[in-house]
Amino acid sequence: MPPRLSLDDLAALVRRAGLPMTPEQIAALHQGSWGYLETMLDRVSGAGVDRFAEPAATFDPEQR
Amino acid sequence: MAIPTIAEAHALFAKKALSPVELLDQCRERIEALEETLHVFVTPTFERAGDEARAAEARMMSGELLGPLDGIPIGHKDIFCTKGIRTTAQSRILADYVPDEDATLVHRLAEAGTLMMGKLTTYEFAMGGPSFDLNWPPARNPWGIERMTAGSSSGTAAGVAAGFILGGTGSDTGGSVRVPSGHCGIAGLKPTYGVLSRKGVLPLSFSLDHAGPMAWTAEDCALMMNAMAGHDPGDPSSSRHDMPDFTGNLGRSLKGLRIGVVGHFHETDNPANPAVLGAIGEAAAFFAEAGAEITSVTLPSLQAFNAVSHVLITVEAAAVHQGDLRSRYGEYGELLRSRLTPGALISGVDYVQAQRRRREMVLEVARVMEGVDILLTTSTPAEAKPLFGDQKLRNLDLPPFTAPFNVTGQPAISVCAGFGAEGLPLSIQLAARPFEEPLLLAVADAYEKAHAWRTRRPALLGYAEPRAVPLTLGPHPEASERPERVRAHHWSARSAGRP
C-alpha cells in the first residue's frame, strides 16, 4: 500500500522522535507498513466523531 | 486421555489416586521428550516445582489440599515478574532482569498451591514475533511443528496442548491469549478489563492489556479465575467489583440464552475459510438445539476495531519503550522494532481520536448486547499458518477477530471447535457483557462437554506419552510407580531453573 507521506517527511518524523534508524531502515518502514498505518489513521480521524465525544481514557482524580 | 485436566487431577488427588509428585513426573517426561522440539520454556524452574509438589503431596496425604489448584503444574508467560527468577520478555533488553517481587497473579497462583514449572516463551515484549533473531527461539505448535502457535502467549498455549503444564498465564492486548489458544486447540479466557491484576506484568498497552488464564478446558479456566481474580490496590485499573464464583454457572441450562452471531466479522470483514465457517455454523446449531435463541448482530467492522486497537497499542508501546528505542534500538529484534517504531511517529491528536473512537465503539457494542447475552464468531480465520515467512505485515492487512473485545474490554474466550483437514485445531470465540464471565464460561463449558474434541491430543505426544493414569476415580493400580523415561534428558543445561 503506497504511503502518502514522502520518505523525507518520514525521515523528519524519525529524527524528531530521536530514533537512531539508518536510512535503509527508514526506507523499509516507508515501503512496508507506513501505508497501512495511514489507512488506520484515516479510520480513527476526527471526521464524523461527535464534538462532545469523550475519550475512553478518563482521568481519575483519586488515582487509586 | 492420559493427560488430566486441572479438574480431573484435583479429583484424583482428592481420592489419592494420583499425587502431585506423580503428576509432575508425567509432565517432566513429556517435557524431556519434546521441549527441544517445541521450545516452550525460556527458564525452567523444575527444582522449585519439585519442592512445591512434595509440599502439595504432604497436604494431600493429610487431607489439607488448599483447593482445586493445589499441586497443579503451571507456567507463566515470561512477561510476568517472578521474584528471584529472571523475567526476560524474550528480549535482549531484559536478558538479565531478575525482579525482586512477584506479579500479583504469580503470587496468587502460588498461594493456591500451584507448581511453577517455569517461565514460558512469548513474542518479544508480547509484540514482536515469531522472531528468529532473539536469544530464544519461538515456540512450535504441537499439532504441527512447522506451524505457528501464534502469539504472544505462545509458550503457554503450546505447553498446555503438549501436556507440559495443565494451565498457565497469558496476556492479551489484541488477542494474545485467544489466538494462540485457538491455534493450539486449548481454552483461553480474556476476562473483563480490570478483573485480573496487571501489577508486575510487563506492559505493552495500558489501555488494552489484559491478563488471562489458559488451560485445556473452559472449566479449568474458571478454576484458575477463582484463584486469580480480585481487586489489587497495586494496579490502578483494577476493578472493585465483587468477584463471583467463576465456576458458579457451570452446568446451567442454555435454554432461553440469546446468542448473536457476528456474521460480518467472519464472512466479509476477514473471510474465514470453509472449515472455520463450518465450525461456527455447527456451534450455532448446537446452541440452538440446546434451547438458545440464535440471531445475527452487526458491530463496527473488524477494520474499524483494528485501527483503534493498532493506534492505541503502538503509541502506548512506543511510550513504554521510548528510552530503550532511543538508546538500544539495535538490541530489539527486527520484528519488534518494525512494530514499535510507527508508534513513536503517530501524532498526539491521532492517539486521542483513537480513544474517542474507542468509547463510541464501547457504547455501540453495549447497545447491541442489550439484545443478546453472548456473541459468537471465531478467534482465528483459519488453522495455524506456517511458522516461516515474512511476519511484518500480517497484522496490518488482515484484522484480527480478537481485538474488538480488547477495545470494548468485555470478556471473551476461545475454545477448540474441532480440527481441519490437516488435523490442525479450529476455534470459536464467545464474548459476553462486562463482568459476566460466569455465564461466558458456562456456555463455553457446555459446548466443550458436548463435543469430543477434548479427548484428542497432538499426535506428536504419541511416542512421549507416559504410562496412562486412569481417569475413572478408582484407586490407581500402580500408584506408587513412576513413569519410565522415554528419552534421555538432553537439555540438562537449561533444566536447572537457572538462566
Side-chain angles (χ1 to χ4, degrees), chain B residues 129-314:
Chain B
S131 295
F132 296 88
D133 59 349
L134 306 176
N135 291 358
W136 302 271
R140 299 294 188 106
N141 192 322
W143 298 93
I145 61 172
E146 300 297 317
R147 299 299 181 124
M148 297 172 67
T149 56
S152 59
S153 308
S154 31
T156 315
V160 169
F164 290 9
I165 49 178
L166 271 55
T169 52
S171 67
D172 190 317
T173 306
S176 288
V177 161
R178 289 161 289 157
V179 177
S181 293
H183 280 335
C184 292
I186 70 167
L189 172 68
K190 182 206 77 65
T192 306
Y193 186 78
V195 164
L196 293 187
S197 170
R198 294 182 297 112
K199 182 170 184 260
V201 183
L202 291 166
L204 173 59
S205 163
F206 311 103
S207 296
L208 302 175
D209 286 345
H210 299 64
M214 301 167 74
W216 190 241
T217 64
E219 179 184 22
D220 285 356
C221 289
L223 292 170
M224 291 182 69
M225 284 295 291
N226 276 347
M228 297 165 77
H231 178 67
D232 178 6
D235 173 358
S237 65
S238 179
S239 171
R240 291 175 182 274
H241 271 67
D242 289 336
M243 290 300 142
D245 175 358
F246 290 89
T247 64
N249 274 7
L250 300 183
R252 62 156 277 174
S253 167
L254 303 184
K255 197 164 287 181
L257 200 69
R258 300 168 302 170
I259 295 181
V261 180
V262 198
H264 64 90
F265 274 15
H266 48 262
E267 290 165 3
T268 55
D269 294 351
N270 185 357
N273 74 12
V276 172
L277 292 175
I280 296 169
E282 191 281 333
F286 162 75
F287 290 126
E289 181 73 18
E293 176 190 334
I294 311 298
T295 59
S296 177
V297 297
T298 301
L299 303 181
S301 71
L302 283 180
Q303 283 77 6
F305 278 117
N306 191 42
V308 167
S309 165
H310 193 83
V311 171
L312 297 182
I313 291 174
T314 54

